[in-house]
Amino acid sequence: MSENGVNGVNGHGHRALSLVPKTDAKQTLKDFKTDQEVRWCPGCGDYAILAAVQSFLPELGLRRENITFVSGIGCSSRFPYYMNTYGFHSIHGRAPAIATGLATSRPDLSVWVVTGDGDALSIGGNHLIHALRRNVNLKILLFNNRIYGLTKGQYSPTSEVGKITKSTPMGSLDAPFNPISLAIGAEGTFVARTIDSDRKHLQSVLRAAAQHEGTALVEIYQNCNIFNDGAFDPLKDAAVRDDVTIRLEDGQPIVFGANGEKALRRTSTGAFEVVNVADVDPSEIAVHDAGNPDPSQAFALSRLDQPAFTHTPIGVFRNVDRPSYDEEMRAQMDDAVAKQGAGDLAALLSSGDTWRID
């Protein structure tokens, strides 16, 4: 697997955590659990994601005091309460903005955003796309259950057309967002998708995201068993999942199926088509290239699940090397100090046109 694979890092990856203090103590899952009662509905996919994150973080060897989880509003946004790190349960849709301020002012922190499809893509859509285009050094976990769970079952920005909910009794009319397409279109440098119930795959994607220098967006298909149960069953049902799930591995031919009998071939238009491996020359089978600066291949892959779950890629779609906003900002500040000196805040505040009121 090449350096941009699920388990690899990009060129800036080693710097993503280089300023975050390490711990000499061996950490385990228990170190990242809190004494708070986990309050999600029994059977919610959030439990699996929480356990996967708590199990994965000890691998990083970071001081827990230097890890921060920032969330917005929604079921997923209770996440910081259950992580024995620093955390911020912030305001609806604004978690990326708050995390941006934290990440740019504190390069010694590993900053994570936990959000949902409603929080991130409705009221928070503007903040999400600007964090992505700026390439701020933070990791965004977008729990996508295609429904509003906290407010009891209204359709969300990722719900399919015709969705019957409490707010759309005759079926929703809105065309849904495709979070992966949206992130790639916003020039996201790391864009991935995984599934709540596949811990091995989920953790492999988290590893790659943590090492990425810049914004990493990970869409996690998460089951809401109360208001949208079974939304992702085609990707979980052992009888059909191998036929519809395409596991992307950087540098490897895009082959899938229970016996590897299917593959993707890119057409003259740039789109992908499904072919039988036995019917094509091996040279015709597309090879995944997550590190390609041209986003067209990654974008074409993101469109494969139209209509829903016909063929659904999971894994890292894009992992490219671009300086982070934090890095560029620090360079500007260092340059300004070198040219003009460290400055004096008190003198600045009392300079220019000032007056005193007695």
Side-chain angles (χ1 to χ4, degrees), residues 275-336:
V275 296
N276 293 317
V277 171
D279 297 337
V280 298
D281 187 274
S283 63
E284 297 180 63
I285 298 175
V287 175
H288 185 43
D289 184 8
N292 191 338
D294 180 358
S296 62
Q297 185 191 61
F299 189 85
L301 285 170
S302 76
R303 311 307 296 170
L304 277 172
D305 61 348
Q306 311 296 319
F309 309 126
T310 304
H311 296 100
T312 301
I314 63 173
V316 178
F317 288 71
R318 193 167 195 242
N319 187 4
V320 298
D321 189 11
R322 178 158 62 90
S324 69
Y325 183 88
D326 324 43
E327 185 178 38
E328 299 285 85
M329 188 188 75
R330 287 194 295 273
Q332 279 192 344
M333 294 175 66
D334 291 345
D335 185 55

CSV table of all heavy atoms in Angstrom, one decimal, residues 275-336:
chain,number,residue,atom,x,y,z
A,275,VAL,N,-17.6,-3.5,-14.0
A,275,VAL,CA,-17.4,-4.5,-15.0
A,275,VAL,C,-17.1,-5.9,-14.3
A,275,VAL,O,-16.7,-5.9,-13.1
A,275,VAL,CB,-16.2,-4.2,-15.9
A,275,VAL,CG1,-16.5,-2.9,-16.7
A,275,VAL,CG2,-14.9,-4.0,-15.1
A,276,ASN,N,-17.2,-6.9,-15.0
A,276,ASN,CA,-16.7,-8.3,-14.5
A,276,ASN,C,-15.3,-8.4,-14.8
A,276,ASN,O,-14.8,-8.2,-15.9
A,276,ASN,CB,-17.5,-9.4,-15.2
A,276,ASN,CG,-19.0,-9.4,-14.8
A,276,ASN,OD1,-19.3,-9.2,-13.6
A,276,ASN,ND2,-19.9,-9.6,-15.8
A,277,VAL,N,-14.5,-8.8,-13.8
A,277,VAL,CA,-13.1,-8.9,-13.9
A,277,VAL,C,-12.7,-9.9,-15.1
A,277,VAL,O,-11.8,-9.6,-15.8
A,277,VAL,CB,-12.4,-9.4,-12.6
A,277,VAL,CG1,-11.0,-9.8,-12.8
A,277,VAL,CG2,-12.6,-8.4,-11.5
A,278,ALA,N,-13.5,-10.9,-15.3
A,278,ALA,CA,-13.2,-11.9,-16.3
A,278,ALA,C,-13.4,-11.4,-17.7
A,278,ALA,O,-12.9,-11.9,-18.7
A,278,ALA,CB,-14.1,-13.1,-16.1
A,279,ASP,N,-14.1,-10.3,-17.8
A,279,ASP,CA,-14.4,-9.7,-19.2
A,279,ASP,C,-13.5,-8.6,-19.6
A,279,ASP,O,-13.7,-8.1,-20.7
A,279,ASP,CB,-15.9,-9.2,-19.2
A,279,ASP,CG,-16.9,-10.3,-18.9
A,279,ASP,OD1,-16.6,-11.5,-19.1
A,279,ASP,OD2,-18.0,-10.0,-18.4
A,280,VAL,N,-12.6,-8.2,-18.8
A,280,VAL,CA,-11.7,-7.0,-19.2
A,280,VAL,C,-10.3,-7.4,-19.0
A,280,VAL,O,-9.9,-8.3,-18.2
A,280,VAL,CB,-12.1,-5.8,-18.3
A,280,VAL,CG1,-13.5,-5.4,-18.6
A,280,VAL,CG2,-11.8,-6.0,-16.9
A,281,ASP,N,-9.4,-6.7,-19.7
A,281,ASP,CA,-8.0,-6.8,-19.5
A,281,ASP,C,-7.6,-6.1,-18.1
A,281,ASP,O,-8.2,-5.1,-17.8
A,281,ASP,CB,-7.3,-6.0,-20.6
A,281,ASP,CG,-5.8,-6.3,-20.6
A,281,ASP,OD1,-5.1,-5.5,-19.8
A,281,ASP,OD2,-5.3,-7.2,-21.2
A,282,PRO,N,-6.7,-6.7,-17.4
A,282,PRO,CA,-6.3,-6.1,-16.1
A,282,PRO,C,-5.9,-4.7,-16.1
A,282,PRO,O,-6.1,-3.9,-15.2
A,282,PRO,CB,-5.2,-7.0,-15.6
A,282,PRO,CG,-5.4,-8.3,-16.3
A,282,PRO,CD,-6.0,-8.0,-17.6
A,283,SER,N,-5.4,-4.3,-17.3
A,283,SER,CA,-5.0,-2.9,-17.4
A,283,SER,C,-6.1,-1.9,-17.5
A,283,SER,O,-6.0,-0.7,-17.2
A,283,SER,CB,-4.1,-2.7,-18.7
A,283,SER,OG,-4.9,-3.0,-19.9
A,284,GLU,N,-7.3,-2.4,-17.7
A,284,GLU,CA,-8.5,-1.6,-17.8
A,284,GLU,C,-9.1,-1.3,-16.4
A,284,GLU,O,-9.9,-0.4,-16.2
A,284,GLU,CB,-9.6,-2.2,-18.6
A,284,GLU,CG,-9.2,-2.4,-20.1
A,284,GLU,CD,-10.4,-3.0,-20.9
A,284,GLU,OE1,-11.4,-2.4,-21.0
A,284,GLU,OE2,-10.2,-4.2,-21.4
A,285,ILE,N,-8.7,-2.1,-15.4
A,285,ILE,CA,-9.3,-1.9,-14.1
A,285,ILE,C,-8.7,-0.7,-13.4
A,285,ILE,O,-7.4,-0.5,-13.4
A,285,ILE,CB,-9.0,-3.2,-13.2
A,285,ILE,CG1,-9.7,-4.4,-13.8
A,285,ILE,CG2,-9.5,-3.0,-11.8
A,285,ILE,CD1,-9.4,-5.7,-13.1
A,286,ALA,N,-9.5,0.2,-12.9
A,286,ALA,CA,-9.0,1.4,-12.2
A,286,ALA,C,-8.2,1.1,-11.0
A,286,ALA,O,-8.5,0.2,-10.2
A,286,ALA,CB,-10.2,2.3,-11.9
A,287,VAL,N,-7.2,1.9,-10.8
A,287,VAL,CA,-6.4,1.8,-9.6
A,287,VAL,C,-6.6,3.0,-8.7
A,287,VAL,O,-6.6,4.2,-9.2
A,287,VAL,CB,-4.8,1.7,-9.9
A,287,VAL,CG1,-4.0,1.8,-8.7
A,287,VAL,CG2,-4.6,0.5,-10.7
A,288,HIS,N,-6.9,2.8,-7.4
A,288,HIS,CA,-7.3,3.9,-6.6
A,288,HIS,C,-6.0,4.8,-6.3
A,288,HIS,O,-5.0,4.3,-6.0
A,288,HIS,CB,-7.9,3.4,-5.3
A,288,HIS,CG,-8.3,4.5,-4.4
A,288,HIS,ND1,-9.1,5.6,-4.8
A,288,HIS,CD2,-8.2,4.7,-3.0
A,288,HIS,CE1,-9.4,6.4,-3.8
A,288,HIS,NE2,-8.8,5.9,-2.7
A,289,ASP,N,-6.2,6.1,-6.4
A,289,ASP,CA,-5.1,7.0,-6.2
A,289,ASP,C,-5.6,8.2,-5.3
A,289,ASP,O,-6.0,9.2,-5.8
A,289,ASP,CB,-4.6,7.6,-7.5
A,289,ASP,CG,-3.4,8.5,-7.4
A,289,ASP,OD1,-2.9,8.6,-6.2
A,289,ASP,OD2,-3.0,9.1,-8.4
A,290,ALA,N,-5.6,7.9,-4.0
A,290,ALA,CA,-6.1,8.9,-3.0
A,290,ALA,C,-5.3,10.2,-3.0
A,290,ALA,O,-5.7,11.3,-2.6
A,290,ALA,CB,-6.2,8.3,-1.6
A,291,GLY,N,-4.0,10.1,-3.4
A,291,GLY,CA,-3.1,11.2,-3.3
A,291,GLY,C,-3.0,12.0,-4.6
A,291,GLY,O,-2.2,13.0,-4.7
A,292,ASN,N,-3.9,11.8,-5.5
A,292,ASN,CA,-3.9,12.5,-6.8
A,292,ASN,C,-4.4,13.9,-6.5
A,292,ASN,O,-5.5,14.1,-6.0
A,292,ASN,CB,-4.8,11.8,-7.8
A,292,ASN,CG,-4.7,12.4,-9.2
A,292,ASN,OD1,-4.3,13.5,-9.4
A,292,ASN,ND2,-5.1,11.6,-10.2
A,293,PRO,N,-3.6,15.0,-6.8
A,293,PRO,CA,-4.1,16.4,-6.6
A,293,PRO,C,-5.3,16.7,-7.4
A,293,PRO,O,-6.1,17.6,-7.0
A,293,PRO,CB,-2.9,17.2,-7.1
A,293,PRO,CG,-1.7,16.3,-7.1
A,293,PRO,CD,-2.2,14.9,-7.4
A,294,ASP,N,-5.5,16.0,-8.5
A,294,ASP,CA,-6.8,16.2,-9.3
A,294,ASP,C,-7.9,15.5,-8.6
A,294,ASP,O,-7.9,14.3,-8.4
A,294,ASP,CB,-6.6,15.7,-10.7
A,294,ASP,CG,-7.8,15.8,-11.6
A,294,ASP,OD1,-8.9,16.4,-11.1
A,294,ASP,OD2,-7.8,15.4,-12.7
A,295,PRO,N,-8.9,16.2,-8.1
A,295,PRO,CA,-10.0,15.6,-7.3
A,295,PRO,C,-11.0,14.9,-8.1
A,295,PRO,O,-12.0,14.3,-7.6
A,295,PRO,CB,-10.6,16.8,-6.6
A,295,PRO,CG,-10.5,17.9,-7.6
A,295,PRO,CD,-9.1,17.7,-8.2
A,296,SER,N,-10.9,14.8,-9.5
A,296,SER,CA,-12.0,14.3,-10.3
A,296,SER,C,-12.2,12.8,-10.1
A,296,SER,O,-13.3,12.4,-10.1
A,296,SER,CB,-11.6,14.5,-11.8
A,296,SER,OG,-10.4,13.9,-12.2
A,297,GLN,N,-11.1,12.0,-9.8
A,297,GLN,CA,-11.3,10.6,-9.6
A,297,GLN,C,-12.1,10.4,-8.3
A,297,GLN,O,-13.0,9.6,-8.2
A,297,GLN,CB,-10.0,9.8,-9.6
A,297,GLN,CG,-10.2,8.3,-9.5
A,297,GLN,CD,-8.9,7.6,-9.2
A,297,GLN,OE1,-8.3,7.8,-8.2
A,297,GLN,NE2,-8.6,6.7,-10.1
A,298,ALA,N,-11.6,11.1,-7.2
A,298,ALA,CA,-12.3,10.9,-5.9
A,298,ALA,C,-13.7,11.4,-6.0
A,298,ALA,O,-14.6,10.7,-5.4
A,298,ALA,CB,-11.5,11.8,-4.9
A,299,PHE,N,-14.0,12.4,-6.7
A,299,PHE,CA,-15.4,12.9,-6.9
A,299,PHE,C,-16.2,11.9,-7.6
A,299,PHE,O,-17.4,11.6,-7.2
A,299,PHE,CB,-15.4,14.2,-7.6
A,299,PHE,CG,-16.8,14.9,-7.6
A,299,PHE,CD1,-17.2,15.7,-6.5
A,299,PHE,CD2,-17.7,14.7,-8.6
A,299,PHE,CE1,-18.5,16.2,-6.5
A,299,PHE,CE2,-18.9,15.3,-8.6
A,299,PHE,CZ,-19.3,16.1,-7.5
A,300,ALA,N,-15.7,11.3,-8.7
A,300,ALA,CA,-16.4,10.3,-9.5
A,300,ALA,C,-16.7,9.1,-8.6
A,300,ALA,O,-17.8,8.5,-8.7
A,300,ALA,CB,-15.6,9.9,-10.7
A,301,LEU,N,-15.8,8.7,-7.7
A,301,LEU,CA,-16.1,7.6,-6.8
A,301,LEU,C,-17.2,7.9,-5.8
A,301,LEU,O,-18.0,7.1,-5.5
A,301,LEU,CB,-14.8,7.2,-6.0
A,301,LEU,CG,-13.7,6.5,-6.8
A,301,LEU,CD1,-12.4,6.5,-5.9
A,301,LEU,CD2,-14.1,5.1,-7.1
A,302,SER,N,-17.2,9.2,-5.4
A,302,SER,CA,-18.3,9.6,-4.4
A,302,SER,C,-19.7,9.5,-5.0
A,302,SER,O,-20.7,9.5,-4.3
A,302,SER,CB,-18.0,11.0,-3.9
A,302,SER,OG,-18.3,12.0,-4.9
A,303,ARG,N,-19.8,9.5,-6.3
A,303,ARG,CA,-21.1,9.5,-7.0
A,303,ARG,C,-21.6,8.1,-7.3
A,303,ARG,O,-22.7,7.9,-7.8
A,303,ARG,CB,-21.1,10.2,-8.3
A,303,ARG,CG,-20.4,11.6,-8.3
A,303,ARG,CD,-21.0,12.5,-7.2
A,303,ARG,NE,-22.4,12.8,-7.5
A,303,ARG,CZ,-23.3,13.3,-6.6
A,303,ARG,NH1,-22.8,13.7,-5.4
A,303,ARG,NH2,-24.5,13.6,-6.9
A,304,LEU,N,-20.9,7.0,-6.9
A,304,LEU,CA,-21.2,5.7,-7.2
A,304,LEU,C,-22.5,5.2,-6.5
A,304,LEU,O,-23.1,4.2,-7.0
A,304,LEU,CB,-20.0,4.7,-7.0
A,304,LEU,CG,-19.0,4.7,-8.1
A,304,LEU,CD1,-17.8,3.8,-7.6
A,304,LEU,CD2,-19.6,4.1,-9.4
A,305,ASP,N,-22.8,5.7,-5.3
A,305,ASP,CA,-23.9,5.2,-4.6
A,305,ASP,C,-25.2,5.9,-5.0
A,305,ASP,O,-26.1,6.1,-4.2
A,305,ASP,CB,-23.7,5.3,-3.1
A,305,ASP,CG,-23.5,6.7,-2.6
A,305,ASP,OD1,-23.3,7.6,-3.5
A,305,ASP,OD2,-23.5,7.0,-1.4
A,306,GLN,N,-25.3,6.3,-6.2
A,306,GLN,CA,-26.5,6.9,-6.8
A,306,GLN,C,-27.1,6.0,-7.8
A,306,GLN,O,-26.5,5.7,-8.8
A,306,GLN,CB,-26.2,8.3,-7.4
A,306,GLN,CG,-25.3,9.2,-6.6
A,306,GLN,CD,-26.0,9.7,-5.4
A,306,GLN,OE1,-27.2,10.0,-5.4
A,306,GLN,NE2,-25.3,9.8,-4.3
A,307,PRO,N,-28.3,5.4,-7.6
A,307,PRO,CA,-29.1,5.6,-6.4
A,307,PRO,C,-28.5,4.9,-5.2
A,307,PRO,O,-27.5,4.2,-5.3
A,307,PRO,CB,-30.5,4.9,-6.8
A,307,PRO,CG,-30.0,3.9,-7.8
A,307,PRO,CD,-28.9,4.5,-8.6
A,308,ALA,N,-29.1,5.1,-4.0
A,308,ALA,CA,-28.5,4.7,-2.7
A,308,ALA,C,-28.1,3.3,-2.7
A,308,ALA,O,-28.9,2.4,-3.0
A,308,ALA,CB,-29.5,5.0,-1.6
A,309,PHE,N,-26.8,3.1,-2.4
A,309,PHE,CA,-26.2,1.7,-2.1
A,309,PHE,C,-26.2,0.8,-3.2
A,309,PHE,O,-26.0,-0.4,-3.1
A,309,PHE,CB,-26.9,1.1,-0.9
A,309,PHE,CG,-27.0,2.0,0.3
A,309,PHE,CD1,-28.3,2.2,0.9
A,309,PHE,CD2,-25.9,2.6,0.8
A,309,PHE,CE1,-28.4,3.1,2.0
A,309,PHE,CE2,-26.0,3.4,1.9
A,309,PHE,CZ,-27.3,3.7,2.5
A,310,THR,N,-26.3,1.3,-4.5
A,310,THR,CA,-26.1,0.4,-5.6
A,310,THR,C,-24.7,-0.1,-5.6
A,310,THR,O,-24.4,-1.3,-5.6
A,310,THR,CB,-26.3,1.2,-6.9
A,310,THR,OG1,-27.6,1.8,-6.9
A,310,THR,CG2,-26.2,0.3,-8.1
A,311,HIS,N,-23.7,0.8,-5.4
A,311,HIS,CA,-22.3,0.4,-5.2
A,311,HIS,C,-21.8,1.6,-4.3
A,311,HIS,O,-21.8,2.7,-4.7
A,311,HIS,CB,-21.5,0.3,-6.5
A,311,HIS,CG,-22.0,-0.8,-7.3
A,311,HIS,ND1,-22.8,-0.6,-8.4
A,311,HIS,CD2,-21.8,-2.1,-7.3
A,311,HIS,CE1,-23.1,-1.7,-9.0
A,311,HIS,NE2,-22.5,-2.7,-8.3
A,312,THR,N,-21.3,1.2,-3.1
A,312,THR,CA,-20.9,2.2,-2.1
A,312,THR,C,-19.5,2.1,-1.7
A,312,THR,O,-19.1,1.1,-1.1
A,312,THR,CB,-21.8,2.2,-0.9
A,312,THR,OG1,-23.2,2.4,-1.3
A,312,THR,CG2,-21.4,3.2,0.1
A,313,PRO,N,-18.6,3.0,-2.1
A,313,PRO,CA,-17.2,3.0,-1.7
A,313,PRO,C,-17.1,3.4,-0.2
A,313,PRO,O,-17.8,4.3,0.2
A,313,PRO,CB,-16.5,4.0,-2.6
A,313,PRO,CG,-17.4,4.2,-3.7
A,313,PRO,CD,-18.8,4.1,-3.1
A,314,ILE,N,-16.2,2.7,0.5
A,314,ILE,CA,-15.8,3.1,1.8
A,314,ILE,C,-14.3,3.1,1.9
A,314,ILE,O,-13.6,2.5,1.1
A,314,ILE,CB,-16.4,2.2,2.9
A,314,ILE,CG1,-15.8,0.8,2.8
A,314,ILE,CG2,-17.9,2.2,2.9
A,314,ILE,CD1,-16.2,-0.1,4.0
A,315,GLY,N,-13.7,3.9,2.8
A,315,GLY,CA,-12.3,4.1,2.9
A,315,GLY,C,-11.9,5.5,2.6
A,315,GLY,O,-12.7,6.5,2.7
A,316,VAL,N,-10.6,5.8,2.3
A,316,VAL,CA,-10.1,7.1,2.1
A,316,VAL,C,-10.3,7.5,0.6
A,316,VAL,O,-9.6,6.8,-0.2
A,316,VAL,CB,-8.7,7.2,2.5
A,316,VAL,CG1,-8.1,8.7,2.2
A,316,VAL,CG2,-8.5,6.9,4.0
A,317,PHE,N,-11.1,8.4,0.3
A,317,PHE,CA,-11.3,8.9,-1.1
A,317,PHE,C,-10.2,9.8,-1.5
A,317,PHE,O,-9.7,9.7,-2.7
A,317,PHE,CB,-12.6,9.6,-1.2
A,317,PHE,CG,-13.8,8.8,-1.1
A,317,PHE,CD1,-14.3,8.2,0.1
A,317,PHE,CD2,-14.6,8.6,-2.3
A,317,PHE,CE1,-15.4,7.5,0.1
A,317,PHE,CE2,-15.8,7.8,-2.2
A,317,PHE,CZ,-16.2,7.3,-1.0
A,318,ARG,N,-9.8,10.7,-0.6
A,318,ARG,CA,-8.7,11.7,-1.0
A,318,ARG,C,-7.8,11.9,0.2
A,318,ARG,O,-8.3,12.1,1.4
A,318,ARG,CB,-9.5,13.0,-1.4
A,318,ARG,CG,-8.5,14.0,-2.1
A,318,ARG,CD,-9.3,15.1,-2.8
A,318,ARG,NE,-8.5,15.8,-3.7
A,318,ARG,CZ,-8.2,17.1,-3.6
A,318,ARG,NH1,-8.7,17.9,-2.6
A,318,ARG,NH2,-7.4,17.7,-4.4
A,319,ASN,N,-6.5,12.0,0.0
A,319,ASN,CA,-5.6,12.3,1.0
A,319,ASN,C,-4.4,13.0,0.4
A,319,ASN,O,-3.4,12.3,-0.1
A,319,ASN,CB,-5.1,11.0,1.7
A,319,ASN,CG,-4.2,11.2,2.9
A,319,ASN,OD1,-4.0,12.4,3.3
A,319,ASN,ND2,-3.7,10.2,3.5
A,320,VAL,N,-4.5,14.3,0.2
A,320,VAL,CA,-3.5,15.1,-0.5
A,320,VAL,C,-2.7,16.0,0.4
A,320,VAL,O,-3.1,16.3,1.5
A,320,VAL,CB,-4.1,15.9,-1.7
A,320,VAL,CG1,-4.7,14.9,-2.7
A,320,VAL,CG2,-5.1,16.9,-1.1
A,321,ASP,N,-1.6,16.4,-0.1
A,321,ASP,CA,-0.6,17.2,0.7
A,321,ASP,C,-0.8,18.7,0.4
A,321,ASP,O,-0.5,19.1,-0.8
A,321,ASP,CB,0.8,16.7,0.4
A,321,ASP,CG,1.9,17.3,1.2
A,321,ASP,OD1,1.5,18.0,2.2
A,321,ASP,OD2,3.1,17.1,0.9
A,322,ARG,N,-1.2,19.5,1.4
A,322,ARG,CA,-1.3,20.9,1.2
A,322,ARG,C,-1.1,21.5,2.6
A,322,ARG,O,-1.5,21.0,3.6
A,322,ARG,CB,-2.7,21.3,0.7
A,322,ARG,CG,-3.0,22.8,0.5
A,322,ARG,CD,-4.1,23.1,-0.5
A,322,ARG,NE,-5.4,22.6,-0.1
A,322,ARG,CZ,-6.3,23.2,0.6
A,322,ARG,NH1,-6.0,24.4,1.1
A,322,ARG,NH2,-7.5,22.7,0.9
A,323,PRO,N,-0.3,22.6,2.6
A,323,PRO,CA,0.0,23.2,3.9
A,323,PRO,C,-1.3,23.6,4.7
A,323,PRO,O,-2.3,24.0,4.1
A,323,PRO,CB,0.7,24.5,3.6
A,323,PRO,CG,1.3,24.2,2.3
A,323,PRO,CD,0.4,23.4,1.5
A,324,SER,N,-1.3,23.4,6.0
A,324,SER,CA,-2.5,23.7,6.8
A,324,SER,C,-2.6,25.2,7.1
A,324,SER,O,-1.6,25.9,7.0
A,324,SER,CB,-2.4,22.9,8.1
A,324,SER,OG,-1.4,23.4,9.0
A,325,TYR,N,-3.8,25.6,7.3
A,325,TYR,CA,-4.1,27.0,7.7
A,325,TYR,C,-3.2,27.4,8.9
A,325,TYR,O,-2.7,28.5,8.9
A,325,TYR,CB,-5.6,27.2,7.9
A,325,TYR,CG,-6.0,28.6,8.2
A,325,TYR,CD1,-6.3,29.4,7.2
A,325,TYR,CD2,-6.1,29.1,9.5
A,325,TYR,CE1,-6.8,30.7,7.4
A,325,TYR,CE2,-6.5,30.4,9.8
A,325,TYR,CZ,-6.8,31.2,8.7
A,325,TYR,OH,-7.2,32.5,9.0
A,326,ASP,N,-3.2,26.5,9.9
A,326,ASP,CA,-2.5,26.8,11.1
A,326,ASP,C,-1.0,27.1,10.8
A,326,ASP,O,-0.4,28.1,11.3
A,326,ASP,CB,-2.5,25.6,12.1
A,326,ASP,CG,-3.8,24.9,12.1
A,326,ASP,OD1,-4.4,24.7,11.0
A,326,ASP,OD2,-4.3,24.6,13.1
A,327,GLU,N,-0.4,26.2,10.0
A,327,GLU,CA,1.0,26.3,9.6
A,327,GLU,C,1.3,27.7,8.9
A,327,GLU,O,2.3,28.4,9.2
A,327,GLU,CB,1.4,25.1,8.7
A,327,GLU,CG,2.9,25.1,8.4
A,327,GLU,CD,3.1,23.8,7.6
A,327,GLU,OE1,2.3,23.5,6.7
A,327,GLU,OE2,4.2,23.2,7.8
A,328,GLU,N,0.4,28.0,7.9
A,328,GLU,CA,0.6,29.2,7.2
A,328,GLU,C,0.4,30.4,8.1
A,328,GLU,O,1.1,31.4,7.9
A,328,GLU,CB,-0.4,29.3,6.0
A,328,GLU,CG,-0.3,28.1,5.0
A,328,GLU,CD,0.9,28.3,4.1
A,328,GLU,OE1,2.1,27.9,4.5
A,328,GLU,OE2,0.8,28.9,3.0
A,329,MET,N,-0.6,30.4,9.0
A,329,MET,CA,-0.8,31.5,9.9
A,329,MET,C,0.4,31.8,10.8
A,329,MET,O,0.8,32.9,11.0
A,329,MET,CB,-2.1,31.3,10.7
A,329,MET,CG,-2.5,32.5,11.5
A,329,MET,SD,-3.9,32.1,12.6
A,329,MET,CE,-3.0,31.2,13.9
A,330,ARG,N,0.9,30.7,11.4
A,330,ARG,CA,2.1,30.8,12.2
A,330,ARG,C,3.3,31.4,11.5
A,330,ARG,O,4.1,32.2,12.0
A,330,ARG,CB,2.4,29.5,12.9
A,330,ARG,CG,1.5,29.0,13.9
A,330,ARG,CD,2.0,27.9,14.8
A,330,ARG,NE,2.2,26.7,14.0
A,330,ARG,CZ,1.3,25.8,13.8
A,330,ARG,NH1,0.1,25.9,14.3
A,330,ARG,NH2,1.5,24.7,13.0
A,331,ALA,N,3.5,31.0,10.2
A,331,ALA,CA,4.5,31.5,9.4
A,331,ALA,C,4.4,33.0,9.2
A,331,ALA,O,5.4,33.8,9.3
A,331,ALA,CB,4.6,30.8,8.1
A,332,GLN,N,3.1,33.5,8.9
A,332,GLN,CA,2.9,34.9,8.8
A,332,GLN,C,3.2,35.7,10.1
A,332,GLN,O,3.8,36.8,10.0
A,332,GLN,CB,1.4,35.1,8.4
A,332,GLN,CG,1.1,34.9,6.9
A,332,GLN,CD,-0.3,35.5,6.6
A,332,GLN,OE1,-1.1,35.7,7.5
A,332,GLN,NE2,-0.5,35.7,5.3
A,333,MET,N,2.8,35.1,11.2
A,333,MET,CA,3.0,35.8,12.5
A,333,MET,C,4.5,35.9,12.8
A,333,MET,O,5.0,36.9,13.2
A,333,MET,CB,2.3,35.1,13.6
A,333,MET,CG,0.7,35.2,13.4
A,333,MET,SD,-0.2,34.2,14.7
A,333,MET,CE,0.3,35.1,16.2
A,334,ASP,N,5.2,34.8,12.5
A,334,ASP,CA,6.7,34.8,12.8
A,334,ASP,C,7.4,35.8,11.9
A,334,ASP,O,8.3,36.5,12.3
A,334,ASP,CB,7.3,33.4,12.5
A,334,ASP,CG,6.8,32.4,13.5
A,334,ASP,OD1,6.3,32.8,14.6
A,334,ASP,OD2,7.0,31.1,13.2
A,335,ASP,N,6.9,35.9,10.6
A,335,ASP,CA,7.5,36.9,9.7
A,335,ASP,C,7.2,38.3,10.2
A,335,ASP,O,8.1,39.2,10.1
A,335,ASP,CB,6.9,36.7,8.3
A,335,ASP,CG,7.6,37.5,7.2
A,335,ASP,OD1,8.8,37.5,7.1
A,335,ASP,OD2,6.8,38.3,6.5
A,336,ALA,N,6.0,38.6,10.6
A,336,ALA,CA,5.7,39.9,11.1
A,336,ALA,C,6.5,40.3,12.4
A,336,ALA,O,7.0,41.4,12.5
A,336,ALA,CB,4.2,40.0,11.5
